Amino acid sequence: MSRVKVVDSGELSLGQKDQELWLQVDIAGMEEEERALFLKRKEAIDLYVANEKSHEEIHSLIGINRREINRLYTRCISFDPNGIPWGYRGLIPNKKIKKYELNPLSKKINDSRKTGEFSLLLEKYPKIRDEIENLFLGRKKLSEPVMRPKYIHKKFVEMCKEVGISRSEYPFNTNHLGYRALCRFLTQLRNKHFGTASRRYGRDAEQKAKNAGIGKQNYPSTLTPYQDVEFDGHRIDGIFVITVKTLEGDDAVLTLDRLWFLSFIDRATHSVIGRPHICLNKEYNASDVMIAAKKAVMPVKKMNLTIPGLTYQPPGGYPSERFPEIEWAVWDVVYFDNAQAHLADLVRERFRNLIGCTTCLGAVGKPMRRPHIERFHQTLTSSSVQRMPNTTGSHPNDPRRENPEEMAIQYRITYEHLEEILDVAVSNYNGTPHGAIFYNSPLEILEQRINKGMIPRLLNESKRSEFLFTQIEKNRTIRGSHQSGKRPYIEYMGVEYRNDLLAQSAHLINTKVTIHINVDDLRTIRVFLPDGSEFGEVVATGKWSLTPHNLQMRKAINLLKNKKLIHFTQWEDPIFVYHEYLLSQKKKKKATANQIAKVQKVLRKRDEEINKNVALAKAHEDINALEQARERQEKTQSTSKTPTVNRRFKTITL
């Protein structure tokens, strides 16, 4: 007897033909009769596909005829709604694999039942279907943003009347005018358009539905430290103050506008990379992003804490502090959102050319694609700032929010205190066990990965300069004139830059050069000639070269000067003049307080540099004094060693 031949005209895919790829069925939950029938069908299909027995032999062995075998095999190779062959699932007894469609021409139609009438109506009138979908999914801008099913049903009945459906036809010949069928259709819409339908339950639900649970994020495969990192800024939930000396010599306490907290976190180990940056601006900018990146890459040392009782936990710390072998470690991919500061040319250029990483931009207001940094910010604020009396809470009605400005002034909770508290909190966070990493701490996971040889990429030694992180490039022309007697100079942001070499290089007048500017410190700029050779550093003229100041501060001072609100000569320090102007403002606004805090930070940096230079000068003096004393001692010993011995013996004999 001839064997069965499974006919394949070349239209079947590999998933349809190969039984090994068919989805299996768990028969443990079936009733005994259903299980027996399923196993009979499966055995018959296996013999049929194997081409080992004829239809008659299969029928005699199992009891399933040719027609039934062909029907079952057709069910197995047909596709489900997801485009996957039904496989053995098509053999489950009483399983519907095809959607019911009403055939109005069939003689078997039952006039008392209305099954399929609703679907047939929507097929006949696609305008009604589109209107229902638009109303339910919120595709039309209506006065009612989320329309309930009973109001959609009212619109459905009105449209049925508009298209001319008679009173004797569906849905008017039913008790509820097709309401139940409409609700079932809306449920199908909700399941089919999960992300869009979630909008009916709020913006948060829509964001999670559209951006979580799908894609690469569900299959975490990052194991190597610093391979992928996330960055974001968080508005600190607290009010802080600064103490200033007024022009009259009195102490004044000013409240600051809410500050920003910028940080990087490693996806593989959940460790916070480097000391985070606290931004005093109303909105953080590209310079703040690069300062945060600089702090994340440069080695970290513990701060000198001034708050009594505040200490670092021994298990905590920062990666570069605990593991010297990964000092100056950099990352391969950084995940941003589309905030304006992240799209700046400075950020993209520095990350690409200096750090050598790829930037992956996500959408604003969709934190699901950066879960680690968002979760870290929640943990940090809930364990530190939100526990303080000056907290603003997580929302306006938070019971923890109780006159935060008054509390900040009363307890003198300053910006310097915030720096110390957050530094300790982040350090301790890195040493705290996390449930997401099986109750290991981020530093413990990092140590294990390092011991396995997963050493992150280190920044090239030629690029290990603070200047390079906040550097931008501009084209300028060297100016000067023999007629007016003005020596060569370079102008940038309203300030002239010179050095002795440039002053003696009159041949470079009108030469176009490239200047490298550190936007975090504009006291000096570096000049490169048209052929690419470095000319050297030029210094801002006058008092602009004394106090460190950034690009934003320079712009603010120039704006006030242009408006005739402040005035200073070449021999006055513009930063001090700016500081006095801010103090003289009668209306102590928060924005003014933030500007004062930034100027005070700059002045502290200047004092630190002066103290450092004094200490270095004293150290050089001590070293020179020791070297001179050593030289005198060696000279004395070399010239008087032998005569001293003879004189001693002569004295003894006499």
Side-chain angles (χ1 to χ4, degrees):
M1 187 141 327
S2 61
R3 300 288 186 267
V4 174
K5 298 295 183 182
V6 178
V7 179
D8 179 13
S9 60
E11 297 179 356
L12 297 181
S13 65
L14 181 62
Q16 292 174 294
K17 293 185 294 184
D18 192 351
Q19 286 177 285
E20 299 294 332
L21 301 178
W22 286 4
L23 296 179
Q24 302 296 318
V25 176
D26 182 12
I27 62 176
M30 292 184 180
E31 298 290 339
E32 185 174 352
E33 294 182 359
E34 291 182 349
R35 185 186 306 116
L37 178 58
F38 172 79
L39 293 176
K40 285 179 59 176
R41 290 177 172 181
K42 183 176 183 299
E43 184 180 359
I45 292 299
D46 288 342
L47 293 174
Y48 174 71
V49 174
N51 289 327
E52 295 179 353
K53 295 184 180 297
S54 64
H55 283 104
E56 289 76 11
E57 291 174 337
I58 295 176
H59 182 264
S60 62
L61 288 174
I62 301 176
I64 300 179
N65 58 32
R66 176 196 297 265
R67 185 175 179 180
E68 182 68 5
I69 290 175
N70 291 337
R71 186 184 73 85
L72 293 175
Y73 182 70
T74 302
R75 286 169 61 92
C76 292
I77 63 175
S78 61
F79 292 98
D80 65 6
N82 297 319
I84 302 174
W86 280 104
Y88 290 119
R89 298 175 296 164
L91 305 179
I92 298 176
N94 301 320
K95 183 175 183 62
K96 296 180 180 179
I97 66 172
K98 185 179 179 181
K99 184 179 178 182
Y100 175 79
E101 295 180 357
L102 178 64
N103 183 6
L105 302 179
S106 175
K107 296 180 180 180
K108 298 181 180 180
I109 188 171
N110 187 349
D111 294 334
S112 62
R113 298 186 62 186
K114 306 301 178 183
T115 305
E117 290 278 5
F118 185 83
S119 299
L120 188 64
L121 184 145
L122 296 184
E123 290 181 5
K124 186 176 180 181
Y125 302 103
K127 181 181 178 181
I128 297 179
R129 173 191 288 270
D130 294 341
E131 185 67 17
I132 292 174
E133 292 182 355
N134 293 337
L135 293 175
F136 182 76
L137 299 177
R139 293 173 179 170
K140 286 189 174 183
K141 294 183 178 180
L142 304 172
S143 57
E144 186 177 358
V146 179
M147 185 173 285
R148 297 175 61 184
K150 68 177 183 178
Y151 299 117
I152 297 178
H153 178 254
K154 290 183 64 176
K155 185 67 175 176
F156 164 70
V157 174
E158 292 176 1
M159 294 193 65
C160 289
K161 294 178 181 179
E162 292 177 2
V163 296
I165 298 178
S166 66
R167 295 289 181 176
S168 61
E169 295 179 331
Y170 185 87
F172 299 110
N173 57 1
T174 63
N175 293 334
H176 302 284
L177 302 180
Y179 178 74
R180 294 178 179 176
L182 174 65
C183 291
R184 288 192 294 268
F185 178 72
L186 296 181
T187 301
Q188 296 173 4
L189 278 180
R190 183 182 61 184
N191 296 334
K192 182 178 180 181
H193 304 278
F194 187 87
T196 305
S198 297
R199 184 188 306 165
R200 299 174 59 86
Y201 304 95
R203 185 171 179 270
D204 291 342
E206 180 189 8
Q207 287 183 348
K208 292 179 181 178
K210 289 185 175 181
N211 300 281
I214 56 175
K216 182 181 176 182
Q217 292 289 331
N218 297 303
Y219 311 99
S221 58
T222 303
L223 296 177
T224 305
Y226 290 67
Q227 180 179 345
D228 296 337
V229 302
E230 298 175 9
F231 172 83
D232 202 3
H234 178 73
R235 202 75 176 266
I236 297 176
D237 299 331
I239 301 297
F240 296 87
V241 301
I242 58 170
T243 303
V244 299
K245 282 280 188 184
T246 64
L247 297 179
E248 293 78 15
D250 302 322
D251 289 335
V253 179
L254 305 179
T255 59
L256 299 172
D257 195 4
R258 289 176 59 184
L259 310 177
W260 286 92
F261 178 83
L262 313 180
S263 56
F264 289 82
I265 193 169
D266 176 34
R267 278 188 171 181
T269 64
H270 295 210
S271 58
V272 180
I273 304 173
R275 176 170 290 125
H277 172 57
I278 300 176
C279 172
L280 287 162
N281 298 324
K282 188 175 182 180
E283 294 289 341
Y284 67 91
N285 53 33
S287 300
D288 294 311
V289 176
M290 293 313 304
I291 293 173
K294 177 178 66 176
K295 292 183 176 180
V297 174
M298 295 179 61
V300 179
K301 295 182 180 180
K302 283 185 169 60
M303 296 178 64
N304 295 324
L305 304 178
T306 61
I307 301 176
L310 185 65
T311 58
Y312 294 96
Q313 294 181 2
Y318 292 95
S320 60
E321 176 191 354
R322 289 284 300 275
F323 309 106
E325 60 268 33
I326 63 171
E327 290 182 351
W328 297 97
V330 291
W331 46 87
D332 297 328
V333 181
V334 58
Y335 289 83
F336 284 137
D337 62 18
N338 272 309
Q340 187 175 3
H342 306 160
L343 301 174
D345 293 337
L346 170 63
V347 174
R348 291 190 171 187
E349 191 274 332
R350 290 290 84 193
F351 273 77
R352 181 176 63 252
N353 296 330
L354 177 61
I355 297 178
C357 72
T358 302
T359 55
C360 183
L361 298 174
V364 176
K366 296 180 179 178
M368 305 81 186
R369 290 306 180 188
R370 297 169 301 280
H372 300 84
I373 192 68
E374 296 293 340
R375 179 57 185 166
F376 162 67
H377 285 158
Q378 292 179 6
T379 302
L380 181 71
T381 54
S382 62
S383 62
S384 57
V385 179
Q386 289 183 356
R387 298 176 60 190
M388 300 169 65
N390 62 325
T391 180
T392 58
S394 58
H395 54 86
N397 298 324
D398 195 323
R400 293 171 293 187
R401 182 187 183 119
E402 186 175 353
N403 299 324
E405 295 185 6
E406 295 181 6
M407 292 296 179
I409 295 174
Q410 178 181 349
Y411 295 105
R412 298 292 179 94
I413 307 176
T414 64
Y415 165 75
E416 291 77 12
H417 292 161
L418 174 64
E419 287 184 313
E420 296 183 14
I421 291 171
L422 291 183
D423 190 68
V424 172
V426 174
S427 176
N428 295 342
Y429 173 89
N430 284 336
T432 303
H434 297 178
I437 47 180
F438 304 99
Y439 294 97
N440 292 305
S441 70
L443 291 178
E444 288 174 345
I445 294 294
L446 180 59
E447 183 178 12
Q448 293 181 28
R449 303 287 169 83
I450 292 176
N451 293 336
K452 292 177 182 179
M454 299 182 184
I455 305 296
R457 180 171 55 91
L458 303 182
L459 187 65
N460 192 291
E461 291 187 5
S462 62
K463 298 180 179 180
R464 297 180 184 180
S465 170
E466 296 185 39
F467 176 84
L468 296 177
F469 283 91
T470 51
Q471 173 184 292
I472 61 174
E473 298 179 4
K474 296 289 184 181
N475 295 323
R476 286 293 184 272
T477 301
I478 298 178
R479 301 299 183 185
S481 173
H482 291 86
Q483 296 178 355
S484 61
K486 192 166 187 176
R487 290 187 175 274
Y489 67 95
I490 295 175
E491 187 272 336
Y492 179 71
M493 291 298 297
V495 179
E496 296 180 1
Y497 288 79
R498 288 191 181 90
N499 62 13
D500 292 339
L501 179 59
L502 181 61
Q504 302 296 330
S505 304
H507 63 283
L508 294 178
I509 293 177
N510 296 328
T511 301
K512 292 184 178 180
V513 295
T514 302
I515 58 175
H516 291 183
I517 307 125
N518 179 10
V519 295
D520 196 40
D521 189 353
L522 297 183
R523 290 178 295 177
T524 61
I525 59 177
R526 188 172 297 175
V527 182
F528 291 84
L529 297 176
D531 61 356
S533 60
E534 183 177 354
F535 182 79
E537 283 190 345
V538 291
V539 183
T541 57
K543 297 293 185 176
W544 283 106
S545 62
L546 296 180
T547 306
H549 58 282
N550 56 30
L551 180 60
Q552 188 177 14
M553 193 174 296
R554 173 80 67 83
K555 289 181 178 179
I557 294 173
N558 287 341
L559 180 62
L560 293 173
K561 186 178 179 181
N562 293 335
K563 291 183 177 181
K564 310 296 183 182
L565 296 176
I566 62 174
H567 175 74
F568 52 88
T569 65
Q570 185 179 4
W571 311 111
E572 292 179 306
D573 192 330
I575 309 303
F576 284 104
V577 176
Y578 180 50
H579 188 223
E580 291 181 358
Y581 166 78
L582 296 175
L583 292 176
S584 66
Q585 299 299 296
K586 294 181 179 180
K587 295 181 180 180
K588 299 297 188 296
K589 299 180 180 179
K590 291 183 179 179
T592 304
N594 282 48
Q595 298 296 328
I596 294 174
K598 285 191 284 186
V599 175
Q600 288 184 343
K601 189 176 181 180
V602 164
L603 296 179
R604 285 198 303 271
K605 182 178 179 181
R606 179 192 178 185
D607 294 339
E608 291 174 0
E609 290 183 356
I610 293 174
N611 295 334
K612 184 178 179 180
N613 294 334
V614 171
L616 287 174
K618 188 176 184 304
H620 284 300
E621 290 179 0
D622 294 341
I623 293 172
N624 292 333
L626 289 174
E627 290 181 352
Q628 293 176 4
R630 189 180 298 110
E631 290 177 356
R632 288 197 299 268
Q633 184 179 4
E634 291 176 354
K635 185 177 180 180
T636 303
Q637 290 178 354
S638 62
T639 56
S640 61
K641 184 176 181 180
T642 304
T644 301
V645 174
N646 294 338
R647 191 179 301 115
R648 184 179 302 168
F649 280 111
K650 289 180 179 180
T651 304
I652 292 173
T653 54
L654 290 174

